[in-house]
Amino acid sequence: MKNTIGIFDSGVGGLTVLQTMMKDLPHTDLMYIGDNKNCPYGDKSKAALYECASKVVEYFIAHQIKIIVLACNTTSANVLEELRAAYPNTRIIGVIDSTVQNFLRKEKEKVLVIATKATIDSHKYQDTIALYNKQVQVNELATPKLVPLIESGKYKKGIQETIKEYVTAYQGKIDSIILGCTHYPIIANQFKEVLKDICYISSSESVSKEVAYYLSEHHLIDTQHTRQIEINTTGDVEDFKFAAGSFFDFEEIKVHHIEV
Ligand code: DGL
């Protein structure tokens, strides 16, 4: 594989980033890792998150990968700087800056950020938005029941009730929502049923544009290259495919089990 980008998340959520990158970067090799053995990340401490993330980063580095996307808000919010300091020769890109830039371009005033507990507790979204625009009213809400439901693959039944429980109180009070977990675009339509016609910002789409820009600026795109995609999980391959089967097409991509 050539100039491969490593992409990783705690589970299937980062596939929403992979999907966008497959469209935006048709000539770039992509290697995905879902750390399902340690999923969910959302209620872990900073030290535990660093331990999980650094093992995955070292796996990528051992496979000659020099650009890594944390397709995970939880690690982007909590351990991005620490990982950059520990692995200075590897470019490590988080999802939060590009998501905030994408949000600011929409010029909205009252936003709800939903994310895992560890992302919300870091206040990374609130602080990053305030750096650029202090007038935006930022509401933060941890939604910890959602990732386990999505990872179980049985999220279609019953998830609407959980979403209602979380966001009904915000109906009519916000003009935008940041889906601050890469698992949430998978259930974006269920959010739309409750919150209707507000502005939806997905952290998964935002980061892909940043990577495409970086690769093109650094002349790292070879338009003659036929790209390869590899998907790995530290968990069970069949469970992984079951959880992601309703939104990701595995027809031409094999999923491997790996240890990191
Ligand atoms: N998808 C990840 C995120 O964006 C992690 C979710 C989890 O494992 O709790 O935060």
Side-chain angles (χ1 to χ4, degrees):
M1 291 169 94
K2 197 177 159 193
N3 289 332
T4 307
I5 310 287
I7 303 159
F8 99 92
D9 180 40
S10 62
V12 298
L15 292 177
T16 59
V17 177
L18 178 67
Q19 249 170 354
T20 314
M21 289 179 66
M22 283 165 64
K23 275 191 238 128
D24 290 347
L25 295 164
H27 302 287
T28 301
D29 291 341
L30 304 168
M31 183 196 278
Y32 184 84
I33 298 180
D35 187 14
N36 292 73
K37 186 173 153 191
N38 295 305
C39 187
Y41 277 7
D43 44 18
K44 290 195 193 313
S45 67
K46 213 174 155 91
L49 287 169
Y50 182 81
E51 198 183 327
C52 294
S54 58
K55 283 186 185 153
V56 179
V57 167
E58 282 175 18
Y59 183 95
F60 281 134
I61 292 173
H63 288 76
Q64 281 74 51
I65 288 173
K66 295 187 186 74
I67 302 173
I68 297 172
V69 177
L70 305 184
C72 168
N73 288 265
T74 308
T75 48
S76 302
N78 287 283
V79 294
L80 176 62
E81 294 314 321
E82 289 81 351
L83 291 169
R84 283 180 175 161
Y87 306 100
N89 299 325
T90 305
R91 177 139 192 117
I92 304 179
I93 300 169
V95 285
I96 293 184
D97 281 341
S98 49
T99 306
V100 168
Q101 294 309 329
N102 189 6
F103 164 72
L104 292 169
R105 280 194 288 275
K106 311 286 178 194
E107 300 188 341
K108 298 293 174 190
E109 290 164 2
K110 291 179 208 155
V111 66
L112 172 64
V113 179
I114 51 163
T116 65
K117 184 178 178 307
T119 301
I120 294 301
D121 287 351
S122 76
H123 300 297
K124 199 75 186 178
Y125 271 104
Q126 191 173 46
D127 294 349
T128 311
I129 292 170
L131 269 183
Y132 298 97
N133 186 342
K134 293 200 175 27
Q135 309 311 317
V136 178
Q137 187 192 102
V138 183
N139 304 275
E140 298 179 296
L141 180 70
T143 47
K145 292 183 191 166
L146 298 177
V147 168
L149 277 170
I150 294 168
E151 285 290 335
S152 74
K154 298 180 195 130
Y155 54 89
K156 290 209 168 133
K157 259 195 226 145
I159 209 159
Q160 199 66 42
E161 283 314 304
T162 312
I163 289 175
K164 272 191 197 148
E165 193 186 298
Y166 281 134
V167 299
T168 301
Y170 293 93
Q171 268 171 341
K173 299 193 178 113
I174 47 170
D175 56 17
S176 47
I177 183 167
I178 293 179
L179 304 178
C181 170
T182 53
H183 282 74
Y184 300 170
I186 301 166
I187 50 170
N189 286 339
Q190 284 93 325
F191 277 104
K192 286 179 187 164
E193 276 179 37
V194 186
L195 292 171
K196 314 284 179 200
D197 196 16
I198 58 168
C199 175
Y200 293 79
I201 306 287
S202 146
S203 58
S204 307
E205 281 172 18
S206 311
V207 71
S208 180
K209 306 279 177 271
E210 181 183 336
V211 177
Y213 179 76
Y214 176 84
L215 294 182
S216 130
E217 284 293 290
H218 290 80
H219 309 288
L220 291 171
I221 296 176
D222 170 3
T223 53
Q224 302 306 309
H225 182 64
T226 308
R227 68 111 177 272
Q228 293 178 52
I229 297 170
E230 190 181 309
I231 299 182
N232 304 293
T233 171
T234 60
D236 181 84
V237 168
E238 290 313 314
D239 287 351
F240 183 92
K241 289 172 76 173
F242 180 70
S246 70
F247 70 92
F248 194 90
D249 181 6
F250 289 104
E251 206 169 319
E252 286 172 24
I253 310 174
K254 206 169 164 343
V255 180
H256 305 268
H257 170 83
I258 57 162
E259 300 286 336
V260 297

